[in-house]
Amino acid sequence: MKRLSWLTLLMLLLAMVVVACGGSGDDAEPEADSGDTAADSGDEATDEEDEEMEEMTCDDAIGCVEVAPGDPIRVASALVITGPNESLGLDSQYGVEIAIADRGEIAGHSIELQTEDDGCNAEGGQAAGQKIASDPSIVGVIGTSCSGAGVPMSQIVCEQGIAMISPSNTAPVLTDPETRQSCYFRTAHNDKIQGRAMAEYVFNELGLTKAAVVHDGDPYTEGLASVFRDSFAELGGEVVAFEAEAADATNVEPLLTSIAAAGPEIIYYPVFIPLGSLITKTAQEIDGLEGIVLAAADGVQSPDFLDASGDAATGMYVSGPDLGFGNDIYTTFLETYQAEYGTEPTAPFHAHAFDATNMLLDAIEAVAQVGDDGSMLIGRQALLDALSSTSGLAGITGTITCDENGDCADPQIAVSQVQDGSFTAVWNYENE
């Protein structure tokens, strides 16, 4: 009986141990709940991260440029920086560089410039355009210098949705609603204005009624020549000759002899430096052109033209943008230009290039999405929309506002005369 009692007691103790262990198992359930709560918190954190990722997702109609943390924002220039017309493009190139240096960075990203040469011709514009279009990291391009290069380049880069702003293309065809490319803008004037201005100056101010006109077939030269011809005739003048000559011609005696036979009082030749200087010098040697008034346009408005033409250029007239900006931005710009490049501006479009670059950088800053890690997305269509909406931008050249066709300039046209080896403004056009 005693043994039985001890056995019974042992069994009771064992039962109590089992019950105690079972109770501990029940008490462990809150730990599982705690684990579930941690998992829930992890899910919430993941949801937040996903939401941030969604905010940086590109939903642009034509895609985005992705800029990694610490990487630069890449833009390009495509200007004529070599060859006989390089003074025109280098002048604009310096304007681009000054604007980028002034800006410094956008949202912590530096700005990197890729430089291309437009050659001032269609072949150069095509080659530069293809190189830029093949690089998906390039956000936009400032170019071209010459309208002949601008036509093919705009077709190429616009296929990729790359924004393009020209500081010096003036050919009407580039912003004509029938032919304009959707990514194309310009801060230079439209030659519909310049051609009219020159016609009014010749007819109303100089009192001349018979004009001969020469172009080289380039969109800029032919477009400007055509506007002058039509405006001059509308005013009551007579265009006695309207001729084309090759841009690389080496002998223009036959051309000028034919023009002399038509009896003009003035020859207007809105061409580039090589052909312009050749016509200027040769005109002095042609019978029947004694005392003829010579006039050109901003394609020759450079010290290089004056050097090539010598004394033959004295007294001739040149139409182009009015450079009497007279604002504090320009004063500072000129100081920087002189300090950085050791010269005064060499052509008329340095200020237009500065304004074009700021117009692009402002638009980039307006549309860029910036992540917490510093990464950036720049929607290409969003950028084009922002450029199209540019309004009231205070630039060196005036107040920049884009119309529906990409003309953004505040057009101020002047006629200058070559006096004492420089271009001196003698008349300002009142654009109405």
Side-chain angles (χ1 to χ4, degrees), residues 327-344:
N327 55 57
D328 291 340
I329 305 174
Y330 194 46
T331 300
T332 302
F333 174 89
L334 290 177
E335 292 172 354
T336 303
Y337 192 111
Q338 180 73 47
E340 291 294 324
Y341 306 108
T343 181
E344 294 180 352

Side-chain angles (χ1 to χ4, degrees), residues 45 59 67 72 85 103 150 164-165 177 222 267 274 336 381 389 398 420 425:
D59 57 0
V67 184
N85 294 301
R103 185 64 59 108
M164 175 178 176
I165 311 173
E222 186 172 4
I267 305 174
T336 303
Q381 185 60 58
S389 300
D420 299 323

Side-chain angles (χ1 to χ4, degrees), residues 213-230:
V213 185
V214 179
H215 64 88
D216 67 9
D218 177 89
Y220 158 71
T221 70
E222 186 172 4
L224 181 49
S226 298
V227 174
F228 173 87
R229 175 196 60 197
D230 296 344

Side-chain angles (χ1 to χ4, degrees), residues 284-305:
Q284 312 301 313
E285 306 166 359
I286 303 299
D287 291 339
L289 294 183
E290 297 86 0
I292 193 79
V293 176
L294 301 178
D298 39 28
V300 304
Q301 199 167 344
S302 164
D304 288 354
F305 169 76

